[in-house]
């Protein structure tokens, strides 16, 4: 497989910073994981994220009995791309008869809920999403779905971009990026870690091997930080 | 020929490049309200739809008045939504004879001085719209026995939002009773509102005029003179 896994990333990272030693290793496994995941987070964000497609039961509690408001189950939603209305419980939005809802501001949903606009629909047409305010750790990032009209009996499968999931040596070993992106992970991690292990002189060499995409992103980011110029 | 409102909606979305439900400039209810409003406007320029309703009215025995039914509409379920467009023809079911429409002044002249309103078999009728928009009928003479009447009439186009349909029918399912040309005029005129393009409105109106001409061609006699009894 072209995408590097955690063990390969770790080895390549240590090689780049000249710290691939079994004895008196300058970085612990925890520190290695932190460097790699910090770099992975940037590369993952740069790649635009990937899309998950889930059915209503995965995303919402009792959607089919709701009357206009549904509470979410998922806590890893970064951005919802599409919400569908379906009469099929296991649908992921592509079943015949499903319709995609238009995303609007919550205030627009509220307007139509309380308006006297005539004409009826037998299925939801618009929706708004909001994050539920909470201090309960397990409930952070839960979403609330408001839809109109408030007809019951519909399921709401969604397509969404998930939040970042760190990689490790045991559970999530493969980063969710493409092949070039995975190589950028260990290079970016090494770029940041080399000074910390006393090998700052390696930084230019490491940077010269960034992918085109990463190089442009770094340049743009640095330029924005220094002069506010993002037009690159 | 007819077309579903949802098809008009989607044509508008394509033409307005508003096909992304993730970040729509116009949501479905907004587009639909505009379609319904413009359809009323466009319908006012087009020849009125015609309808035939058998035994739609019955003049009670001894009565000389009645009113046009409020249930004669473009689609089932819009009871109370009838709006007539002026072309009213009544035919006695029992004899097949069409009543002659006269003005209210002529009806007043016919019944002038009639202390006891004569009853027989009606031959004439006059109509007017009451303050509550029901259309009243007055007959001359009155009906000696109950007289059912067939109704031939023209209607105003119904408001699409009044469509009720059956079961789960809704705005998605309502069929706009327009021809292809009129449907395209509806698309262009609705688009002109969203895109602020008066030229689209003008194009739509031009198509509406051509559609009106087509309807007249269908219904005309093709003669410049005709005998009126």
């Amino acid at each position: 497989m072209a995408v590097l896994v955690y063990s390969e990333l770790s080895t390549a990272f240590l090689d780049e910073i000249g710290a691939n030693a079994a004895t008196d290793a300058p970085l612990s496994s925890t520190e290695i994981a932190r460097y790699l995941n910090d770099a992975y987070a940037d590369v993952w964000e740069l790649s635009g994220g990937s899309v998950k497609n889930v059915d209503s039961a995965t995303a919402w509690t009792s959607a089919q009995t709701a009357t206009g408001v549904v509470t979410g189950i998922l806590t890893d939603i970064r951005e919802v791309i599409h919400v569908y209305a379906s009469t099929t419980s296991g649908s992921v939005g592509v079943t015949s008869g499903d319709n995609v809802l238009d995303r609007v501001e919550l205030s627009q949903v509220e307007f139509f809920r309380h308006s006297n606009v005539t004409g009826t629909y037998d299925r939801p047409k618009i929706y708004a999403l909001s994050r539920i305010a909470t201090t309960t750790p397990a409930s952070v990032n839960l979403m609330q779905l408001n839809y109109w009209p408030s007809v019951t009996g519909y399921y709401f499968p969604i397509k969404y971009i998930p939040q970042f999931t760190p990689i490790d040596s045991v559970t999530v070993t493969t980063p969710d990026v493409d092949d070039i992106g995975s190589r950028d992970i260990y290079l970016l991690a090494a770029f940041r870690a080399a000074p910390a292990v006393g090998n700052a002189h390696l930084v230019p060499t490491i940077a010269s091997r960034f992918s085109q995409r990463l190089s442009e992103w770094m340049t743009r980011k640095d330029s924005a930080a220094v002069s506010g110029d993002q037009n690159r | 020929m007819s077309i579903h409102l949802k098809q008009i909606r989607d044509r508008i979305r394509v033409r307005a490049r508003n096909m992304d439900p993730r970040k729509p400039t116009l949501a479905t209810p907004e587009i639909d309200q505009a379609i319904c409003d413009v359809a009323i406007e466009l319908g006012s320029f087009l020849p009125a739809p015609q309808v035939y309703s058998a035994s739609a009215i019955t003049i009670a025995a001894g009565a000389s008045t009645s009113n046009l039914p409020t249930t004669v509409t473009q689609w089932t379920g819009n009871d109370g939504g009838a709006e007539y467009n002026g072309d009213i023809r009544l035919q006695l079911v029992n004899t097949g004879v069409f009543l002659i429409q006269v003005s209210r002044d002529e009806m007043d002249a016919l019944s002038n001085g009639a202390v006891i309103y004569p009853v027989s078999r009606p031959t004439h009728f006059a109509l007017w719209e009451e303050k509550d928009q029901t259309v009243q009928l007055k007959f001359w003479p009155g009906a000696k026995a109950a007289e059912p009447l067939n109704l031939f009439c023209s209607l105003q186009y119904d408001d699409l939002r009044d469509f009720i349909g059956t079961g789960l029918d809704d705005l998605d399912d309502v069929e706009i009773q327009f021809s292809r040309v009129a449907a395209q005029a509806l698309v262009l005129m609705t688009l002109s509102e969203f895109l602020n393009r008066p030229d689209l409105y003008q194009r739509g109106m031009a198509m509406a005029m051509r559609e009106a001409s087509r309807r007249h061609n269908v219904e005309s006699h093709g003669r410049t003179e005709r005998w009126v009894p």
Side-chain angles (χ1 to χ4, degrees):
Chain A
M1 182 161 50
V3 176
L4 301 175
V5 297
Y6 185 87
S7 57
E8 294 168 321
L9 289 170
S10 177
T11 302
F13 163 67
L14 292 173
D15 286 344
E16 288 292 331
I17 62 173
N20 197 357
T23 306
D24 293 333
L27 296 174
S28 67
S29 58
T30 303
E31 290 166 327
I32 294 171
R34 190 182 310 130
Y35 275 113
L36 285 176
N37 278 301
D38 280 349
Y40 171 37
D42 285 336
V43 174
W44 179 84
E45 186 179 27
L46 181 64
S47 73
S50 48
V51 176
K52 271 189 179 179
N53 201 357
V54 298
D55 63 11
S56 184
T58 303
W60 314 105
T61 57
S62 304
Q64 70 276 19
T65 58
T67 53
V69 183
V70 182
T71 301
I73 298 174
L74 298 169
T75 56
D76 69 333
I77 293 178
R78 181 186 178 202
E79 183 180 352
V80 173
I81 300 176
H82 292 305
V83 175
Y84 306 89
S86 176
T87 54
T88 306
S89 64
S91 171
V92 290
V94 294
T95 303
S96 174
D98 292 356
N99 68 292
V100 63
L101 278 58
D102 291 331
R103 184 167 190 166
V104 299
E105 295 292 327
L106 180 59
S107 53
Q108 190 168 345
V109 174
E110 293 291 354
F111 167 78
F112 280 107
R113 277 178 181 162
H114 302 103
S115 76
N116 291 310
V117 168
T118 55
T120 61
Y121 297 101
D122 72 342
R123 53 182 53 232
K125 290 295 183 185
I126 59 174
Y127 76 97
L129 282 167
S130 47
R131 225 156 40 111
I132 300 174
T134 180
T135 54
T136 306
S139 301
V140 171
N141 285 322
L142 281 181
M143 306 292 284
Q144 183 181 74
L145 174 70
N146 281 271
Y147 61 92
W148 181 87
S150 309
V151 289
T152 61
Y154 283 87
Y155 301 91
F156 298 100
I158 63 171
K159 275 194 176 74
Y160 73 100
I161 299 175
Q163 294 183 8
F164 171 72
T165 302
I167 53 175
D168 56 66
S169 59
V170 177
T171 310
V172 183
T173 60
T174 306
D176 186 16
V177 292
D178 59 20
D179 52 353
I180 300 299
S182 71
R183 279 151 181 76
D184 277 337
I185 291 174
Y186 75 80
L187 288 173
L188 184 58
F191 176 86
R192 292 168 174 166
V197 297
N199 288 334
H201 59 281
L202 297 175
V203 168
T205 305
I206 295 171
S208 68
R209 291 164 48 232
F210 284 165
S211 71
Q212 181 70 19
R213 184 172 63 189
L214 183 62
S215 292
E216 290 175 357
W217 176 77
M218 290 284 288
T219 304
R220 186 169 180 273
K221 190 177 180 182
D222 290 343
S223 174
V226 172
S227 65
D229 179 8
Q230 294 185 317
N231 294 320
R232 287 178 177 266
Chain B
M1 183 261 178
S2 62
I3 184 169
H4 283 111
L5 182 144
K6 59 185 174 185
Q7 291 174 294
I8 296 290
R9 177 203 304 150
D10 285 347
R11 287 188 192 181
I12 290 171
R13 296 191 84 142
V14 170
R15 295 292 293 271
R17 293 179 177 269
N18 186 46
M19 293 169 282
D20 184 2
R22 187 177 168 190
K23 299 172 188 173
T25 306
L26 304 162
T28 296
E30 296 172 273
I31 300 175
D32 287 355
Q33 291 299 316
I35 292 172
C36 294
D37 289 341
V38 175
I40 293 175
E41 181 180 353
L42 178 58
S44 69
F45 289 103
L46 297 175
Q50 310 278 333
V51 68
Y52 164 70
S53 184
S55 301
I57 306 165
T58 298
I59 312 172
S64 63
T65 60
S66 184
N67 54 266
L68 291 180
T70 59
T71 55
V72 179
T73 57
Q74 269 193 300
W75 39 72
T76 307
N78 192 18
D79 290 357
E83 287 189 1
Y84 294 91
N85 201 52
D87 182 13
I88 307 293
R89 286 170 289 154
L90 299 173
Q91 180 187 39
L92 291 168
V93 173
N94 293 330
T95 62
V97 173
F98 281 88
L99 303 185
I100 299 170
Q101 185 176 1
V102 296
S103 67
R104 288 175 59 186
D105 290 336
E106 289 172 316
M107 180 59 69
D108 290 345
L110 286 170
S111 60
N112 192 16
V115 176
I116 299 175
Y117 206 86
V119 293
S120 176
R121 179 157 274 154
T123 58
H124 296 74
F125 75 97
L127 45 78
W128 66 92
E129 191 171 287
E130 293 266 288
K131 62 180 181 179
D132 60 354
Q133 288 203 306
T134 56
V135 180
Q136 287 290 321
L137 293 161
K138 188 168 179 68
F139 301 94
W140 174 267
K144 184 176 182 181
E147 292 280 0
L149 298 167
N150 296 327
L151 171 65
F152 299 79
C153 64
S154 61
L155 301 173
Q156 296 273 55
Y157 280 93
D158 274 10
D159 190 331
L160 300 173
R161 284 160 289 213
D162 291 333
F163 176 74
I164 297 175
T166 57
L168 295 177
D169 290 344
D170 61 352
L171 272 178
D172 282 336
D173 300 298
V174 63
E175 293 197 20
I176 305 175
Q177 305 296 323
F178 282 170
S179 68
R180 294 185 199 94
V181 172
Q184 189 56 21
L186 178 59
V187 170
L188 291 175
M189 292 170 72
T190 309
L191 265 175
S192 75
E193 289 202 5
F194 294 134
L195 302 180
N196 193 25
R197 290 209 24 208
D199 62 305
L200 294 179
Y201 186 89
Q202 294 301 325
R203 281 171 58 188
M205 283 302 298
M207 296 183 79
M209 293 300 106
R210 287 196 285 273
E211 169 62 11
S213 175
R214 182 191 73 84
R215 284 282 301 276
H216 285 303
N217 288 341
V218 169
E219 296 167 12
S220 70
H221 294 277
R223 302 196 299 268
T224 55
E225 295 178 358
R226 59 185 179 90
W227 176 71
V228 178

